[in-house]
Amino acid sequence: MDEPVKADIPQKKMPARFYSWFNKRTGIRNIMRASLDEPVPGGARWAYIFGSGLLFIFISQVITGLCLALYYVPSAGSAHTSVAYITKEVAAGDFLRSLHYYGSSAMIIVLLLHFLQTFLYGSFKGRRELLWISGAFLSFLVLGMGFTGYLLPWDQSAYFATAVGTNIVGEVPFIGQWLTDMLRGGDTLGTLTLSRFYFAHVFLIPAMIFVFIGFHIALFRKAGAAGPINEDPIHPQLPPESFYPRQVIMDMAFAMLLMVGLGFLAYFHPVQLGPIANPANTQFIPRPEWYYLPMFEWLKFWPGRLEALAVIGVPGTLALLFFLIPFLDRKLERRPWRRPIPLLAVTIVLVGTIFLGIKSHLDDIRDPSVANQLAFQAKQAEEYTKSPFRPRMESSSGQLLSSGPVNPLAAKGKEIFDTKGCSGCHGASAAGTAIAPSLVKITSTFSLPQITALLHHPNAKMRAGGMPAFDFATPDMTALYAYLSSLNGGSPSSSSAESPSSAPPATAPPMPAAATPPPATSSANTANRASSPSPKETAGATSTSAAAGEKVFEAHACFACHGQAGVGTARVPPLAGLVAGLSDQQLLKLVDHPNAKMSASGMPPFTGSQAEESSLIAYIRSLAPAKQVKATQKPATTAAPAKKAAAATSAPAPSAKAPAQPAARSTPSATATSPVTEGRAVFVQNGCSACHGPTAQGTRFAPSLIGVTKKFPGEKLPYLIHHPNARMRAGGMPTFNLSDTQMQHLVAYLGSLGTAPAGGGAPAAKAGPGNTPVQPAQAGNSPNRNASVGAQTASAPKPLTPLELRGQQIFQQNRCETCHGVGGLTGTVAAPPLAGTASLLPADVLENLLRHHSIRMQQGGMPLTNMNPLDMKALVAFIRSMPAPANAK
């Protein structure tokens, strides 16, 4: 018989041939058969769709999460900006983010339905204990995904809700603090917190979920489907039906329903993004996501020490019972009406959880103040979401603006906005706060002349809200208006063009050149330096100029090294001899840029205005030689040099309003080795002048010390310094550990105030806003802090060390500039400057004050500054590196 012709054999089509080729190498046919031919006792049912629905949502969350991760930057300085970029700039970015956000809530809901179906059907019975336990672990991992993902946008709601959540974890006995530090990466929320939450949300928890899903499916295939409630869970009696096609179609229909529902929500109700996290905002009311709201309400019923029981005791017991349900309900009976006790227990927990969530919501609605604040926060988030995207950039002073405008003129306006403390009331992005309205669309309503008039003369409503008057120069006002215009897409009111002054200059006015200027200087100070005469022009200045220079000499604590009236110390020769052969220009250059020998001795560059430099040069020129000063025991004459020599031995006035001490008063000479001068050095070194003023005249932070030795004679004053009373501690008074010699010198200095020569120099300026004197040296810069001889010089701008640079980043990331001004130099209406106040405190005292706030700081709304020791050390180093600007308020 002839062999058949090959052409007579039917040829397979290309897809079939490829499938056959692929199957021979992978065994995909057997895998699909094992997956789809799973027997379902009793047939397919809609009650079985929730497990597949959970798997679908999880895959959807992975895909959308990976897309979002392409743009996200997990750092405190960039996280919010990157999310804003996704929401406002990326094509369909808001839809993608909303899909991811709503998917997390849908996963919780479907997870709850899957749990109820499994429990009511008794599907955990019949050798399925491990299957239930793996599902319970998956449930907690899903909740962990929601918790870690909530912080990532780094807006107000995410920050404060996570802060509350991590604080709750801290209530765990024995290991609570360790758990909180582990979650946060330190004592406070920051970049380390974000990186840890990001790692857990994107890598750690999803990996664990994949592992447990595989384990869960393997156990499910091993035990088989339990079937309906009347089926035997071990030996099914009902005829089985293959998983494919009916159950697959039902599962796909449910997945399609989920997809349509999530897409509908994401498209028609996109998720909002609030303003960037501001830890200094004490008005914000945090609320967690709805699935954590019952726990939030639950904690309200357990005040004080019982809170640990509420956090660990009851929830821990419920979680343990949740895992042990298969071991507690061991009978093979699956019908729920035949299992009244387990059913009643689950019902109580479920109804109680729903009740707590609803009660929390109703409590917020019933409390008018809370309801108004929450409504304001929602409106704030809505306005921020609708505002145009503003990328990060640096201002003209080098400070990082987290959401600054691209226009250089608007960037300068943003700097003015922050420097003048506007962000303290109107918010960091001018979106408004609970105490001041939003400025986002103000230029659409008011022109430049109108806003200028309102700033110069606030109306009654503005004054009632605490709005001060501002007298901006025209270039600064133009820059500020440009920034406000950029908040609503750069469309200012058309009427603003009617005024000639509204035309912006081609470039922003240049900043004055200086050796190392402070990060931010006001326009008034800029004009002052630009218009002040040079030291050369003021050579041979009048005694008035020299008197002003004496105050500068005293305020910058130059006496600590150069001695009173520049007579010199053991470290530095008399000033008169040092400068005799120098011209004013050479002296000015040395003051601004000390040479290597001066820098090695600790001489910092001068940081004041040009007018202050001029008066300082005039004062130095007026100084008498050291021999003449030491020989002078007679009343001073009217000559300027003799008057300056007498000033070195005359007491400072008790206050600015008190008359100056008579120049003709004869007093013993106060040299650098006198107890009074040494006591003055102790006073400056230990940061006492930061609160009590440079001449102990008192400030708004602490009372005057003039006459304190009469009020506390003998050993009372030293004891009080070593052991502050409750009132002193409440005001922020630290405990000082001074040696007996240092204490004697300090008491001698305090006893000399107002009655005897203080060796302290200039009269005290009147304390108060707008007239705060430049503060003395930063404490702790001396090579030997405990030495009683040779106080160090004043702190001044200098290149920051790596530790100080890290502290500067921490300062900016925690939004400290919102209240304390840009760089902490100027302060705002919300808080004082740190330069010249806190920067003068010793490192250990400042760190203690940051970790344990005084009552005044708490009342002022100072947020917690809990952080790891290294970050705290860096922050303290940065604060103590701050120079005291001449225009500090």
Side-chain angles (χ1 to χ4, degrees):
M1 181 180 293
D2 296 335
E3 295 182 0
V5 182
K6 293 183 179 181
D8 296 338
I9 301 176
Q11 299 293 320
K12 296 182 180 179
K13 294 183 180 180
M14 181 59 68
R17 292 172 61 190
F18 176 78
Y19 181 78
S20 176
W21 177 87
F22 189 75
N23 177 61
K24 291 177 181 179
R25 288 157 179 80
T26 61
I28 186 67
R29 182 175 300 167
N30 294 331
I31 295 175
M32 295 297 296
R33 183 180 295 113
S35 301
L36 300 179
D37 293 346
E38 173 193 357
V40 180
R45 297 175 185 268
W46 287 103
Y48 305 155
I49 60 176
F50 302 114
S52 300
L54 274 174
L55 183 61
F56 167 79
I57 297 176
F58 176 68
I59 295 174
S60 172
Q61 290 295 93
V62 170
I63 295 174
T64 54
L66 289 175
C67 294
L68 295 174
L70 295 176
Y71 299 94
Y72 184 75
V73 181
S75 70
S78 305
H80 185 266
T81 306
S82 62
V83 176
Y85 179 77
I86 293 171
T87 305
K88 302 178 182 183
E89 294 295 318
V90 175
D94 57 341
F95 178 81
L96 192 68
R97 177 170 172 259
S98 300
L99 203 62
H100 191 76
Y101 173 84
Y102 288 123
S104 63
S105 295
M107 199 166 185
I108 300 293
I109 295 174
V110 176
L111 178 65
L112 179 61
L113 293 175
H114 185 53
F115 159 73
L116 290 177
Q117 182 270 324
T118 304
F119 175 79
L120 291 176
Y121 272 56
S123 300
F124 56 87
K125 295 176 178 290
R127 303 170 186 172
R128 292 178 175 83
E129 297 88 352
L130 292 179
L131 179 62
W132 175 270
I133 291 175
S134 63
F137 270 113
L138 282 170
S139 301
F140 282 97
L141 290 175
V142 170
L143 291 175
M145 285 287 287
F147 179 70
T148 55
Y150 194 67
L151 176 67
L152 300 186
W154 199 249
D155 59 0
Q156 293 277 68
S157 179
Y159 179 90
F160 286 104
T162 305
V164 173
T166 52
N167 286 337
I168 292 174
V169 174
E171 296 297 327
V172 177
F174 305 113
I175 61 172
Q177 187 60 45
W178 178 83
L179 288 174
T180 302
D181 293 343
M182 184 189 66
L183 288 173
R184 294 180 173 181
D187 294 334
T188 188
L189 301 182
T191 298
L192 287 178
T193 316
L194 264 176
S195 62
R196 293 185 178 209
F197 275 55
Y198 179 77
F199 172 76
H201 187 75
V202 176
F203 299 102
L204 182 61
I205 299 180
M208 296 176 65
I209 289 179
F210 272 117
V211 170
F212 274 94
I213 285 178
F215 187 55
H216 190 73
I217 293 177
L219 291 173
F220 176 77
R221 298 306 301 270
K222 171 65 177 176
I229 57 175
N230 57 348
E231 178 64 285
D232 188 328
I234 299 179
H235 304 289
Q237 303 298 324
L238 296 176
E241 180 182 354
S242 176
F243 179 73
Y244 177 84
R246 287 188 61 209
Q247 192 63 53
V248 171
I249 294 175
M250 292 180 181
D251 290 351
M252 291 181 63
F254 182 60
M256 184 63 67
L257 180 64
L258 289 173
M259 184 183 301
V260 172
L262 293 176
F264 184 88
L265 285 173
Y267 185 81
F268 291 101
H269 195 269
V271 179
Q272 295 178 351
L273 177 67
I276 189 171
N278 178 14
N281 187 349
T282 58
Q283 305 293 330
F284 193 89
I285 299 179
R287 288 295 181 267
E289 275 295 282
W290 64 268
Y291 42 84
Y292 282 114
L293 205 57
M295 183 65 178
F296 175 79
E297 182 68 20
W298 168 256
L299 295 177
K300 296 180 182 179
F301 297 95
W302 303 83
R305 297 180 179 179
L306 295 177
E307 191 170 357
L309 179 63
V311 173
I312 298 300
V314 177
T317 302
L318 292 178
L320 181 62
L321 294 175
F322 178 58
F323 277 91
L324 295 179
I325 282 180
F327 302 97
L328 298 176
D329 187 8
R330 296 183 59 85
K331 294 181 178 180
L332 295 181
E333 177 59 58
R334 298 176 55 189
R335 288 169 291 188
W337 54 87
R338 296 289 184 92
R339 299 181 289 132
I341 296 179
L343 184 63
L344 180 62
V346 171
T347 302
I348 291 175
V349 173
L350 185 62
V351 172
T353 302
I354 297 174
F355 168 77
L356 289 173
I358 295 176
K359 185 179 186 303
S360 179
H361 182 67
L362 293 178
D363 289 345
D364 290 340
I365 296 176
R366 292 167 182 168
D367 190 333
S369 60
V370 174
N372 292 336
Q373 175 63 23
L374 291 176
F376 169 77
Q377 291 170 190
K379 182 179 179 182
Q380 193 178 31
E382 180 181 359
E383 291 181 352
Y384 182 84
T385 304
K386 293 180 179 179
S387 65
F389 173 71
R390 295 187 299 277
R392 291 162 51 89
M393 67 173 299
E394 289 187 358
S395 68
S396 60
S397 64
Q399 294 294 326
L400 190 62
L401 305 177
S402 60
S403 296
V406 177
N407 182 3
L409 184 65
K412 182 187 175 185
K414 169 64 173 173
E415 184 177 355
I416 295 173
F417 184 84
D418 290 333
T419 303
K420 294 301 180 181
C422 309
S423 57
C425 293
H426 294 282
S429 56
T433 66
I435 60 177
S438 170
L439 302 179
V440 170
K441 297 182 180 180
I442 190 172
T443 55
S444 301
T445 307
F446 297 97
S447 64
L448 174 59
Q450 291 173 324
I451 293 182
T452 304
L454 281 175
L455 290 177
H456 288 177
H457 307 286
N459 57 35
K461 185 176 181 180
M462 295 164 66
R463 291 195 302 271
M467 175 73 179
F470 291 99
D471 189 10
F472 290 117
T474 301
D476 291 340
M477 191 64 235
T478 305
L480 181 61
Y481 189 78
Y483 167 65
L484 296 177
S485 299
S486 71
L487 299 178
N488 59 341
S491 56
S493 173
S494 58
S495 60
S496 64
E498 299 173 3
S499 173
S501 62
S502 63
T507 58
M511 298 296 291
T516 48
T521 54
S522 68
S523 59
N525 191 40
T526 303
N528 185 30
R529 286 186 61 94
S531 61
S532 299
S534 67
K536 189 173 182 178
E537 294 171 343
T538 58
T542 62
S543 59
T544 303
S545 179
E550 182 184 13
K551 293 182 179 180
V552 175
F553 186 86
E554 176 71 21
H556 284 260
C558 305
F559 65 86
C561 287
H562 294 286
Q564 296 298 331
V567 297
T569 63
R571 298 175 57 220
V572 182
L575 268 176
L578 289 175
V579 304
L582 299 176
S583 65
D584 288 350
Q585 195 65 29
Q586 291 173 323
L587 183 55
L588 172 63
K589 185 177 180 180
L590 284 175
V591 169
D592 279 341
H593 306 284
N595 58 33
K597 184 177 180 180
M598 296 162 65
S599 299
S601 300
M603 173 74 177
F606 186 75
T607 59
S609 65
Q610 191 170 349
E612 289 177 324
E613 287 180 327
S614 302
S615 61
L616 180 61
I617 299 300
Y619 172 64
I620 293 175
R621 291 299 186 193
S622 71
L623 294 176
K627 294 181 180 179
Q628 180 181 346
V629 174
K630 292 179 180 179
T632 303
Q633 298 290 338
K634 299 178 181 180
T637 64
T638 57
K643 184 175 182 180
K644 293 308 164 190
T649 58
S650 62
S655 68
K657 295 182 179 180
Q661 295 291 337
R665 181 173 182 173
S666 178
T667 58
S669 175
T671 66
T673 58
S674 69
V676 172
T677 303
E678 298 296 344
R680 167 69 173 163
V682 174
F683 184 82
V684 172
Q685 275 187 313
N686 286 276
C688 309
S689 56
C691 295
H692 294 282
T695 54
Q697 80 277 10
T699 66
R700 57 174 173 162
F701 304 110
S704 170
L705 297 180
I706 297 173
V708 70
T709 54
K710 293 183 179 180
K711 187 176 180 181
F712 300 97
E715 293 298 321
K716 292 184 178 180
L717 183 57
Y719 180 82
L720 201 60
I721 294 175
H722 283 305
H723 307 88
N725 57 34
R727 184 177 180 183
M728 296 164 65
R729 291 195 303 271
M733 174 72 176
T735 301
F736 292 102
N737 295 320
L738 302 178
S739 66
D740 293 340
T741 303
Q742 289 176 313
M743 183 63 74
Q744 291 173 6
H745 292 164
L746 180 60
V747 172
Y749 167 65
L750 297 177
S752 70
L753 297 176
T755 57
K766 180 179 179 182
N771 196 24
T772 304
V774 180
Q775 299 292 344
Q778 189 181 134
N781 286 340
S782 171
N784 183 5
R785 275 189 54 195
N786 295 326
S788 60
V789 179
Q792 288 297 308
T793 57
S795 64
K798 59 184 183 298
L800 297 180
T801 65
L803 184 65
E804 292 167 353
L805 284 172
R806 177 173 179 176
Q808 184 183 43
Q809 295 176 351
I810 295 172
F811 188 83
Q812 294 173 349
Q813 290 168 359
N814 286 276
R815 310 292 295 172
C816 305
E817 294 176 321
T818 303
C819 292
H820 294 287
V822 175
L825 299 175
T826 57
T828 67
V829 293
L834 298 178
T837 54
S839 64
L840 304 181
L841 296 174
D844 53 346
V845 175
L846 179 56
E847 180 175 348
N848 182 68
L849 201 60
L850 288 174
R851 291 193 183 278
H852 309 286
H853 299 162
S854 66
I855 294 178
R856 185 187 297 273
M857 296 166 68
Q858 295 173 9
Q859 292 174 344
M862 176 73 177
L864 293 177
T865 48
N866 295 325
M867 56 186 66
N868 61 57
L870 183 59
D871 286 349
M872 178 61 74
K873 183 179 179 181
L875 180 61
V876 169
F878 170 65
I879 293 175
R880 296 181 71 246
S881 73
M882 295 177 181
N887 63 332
K889 295 185 179 181

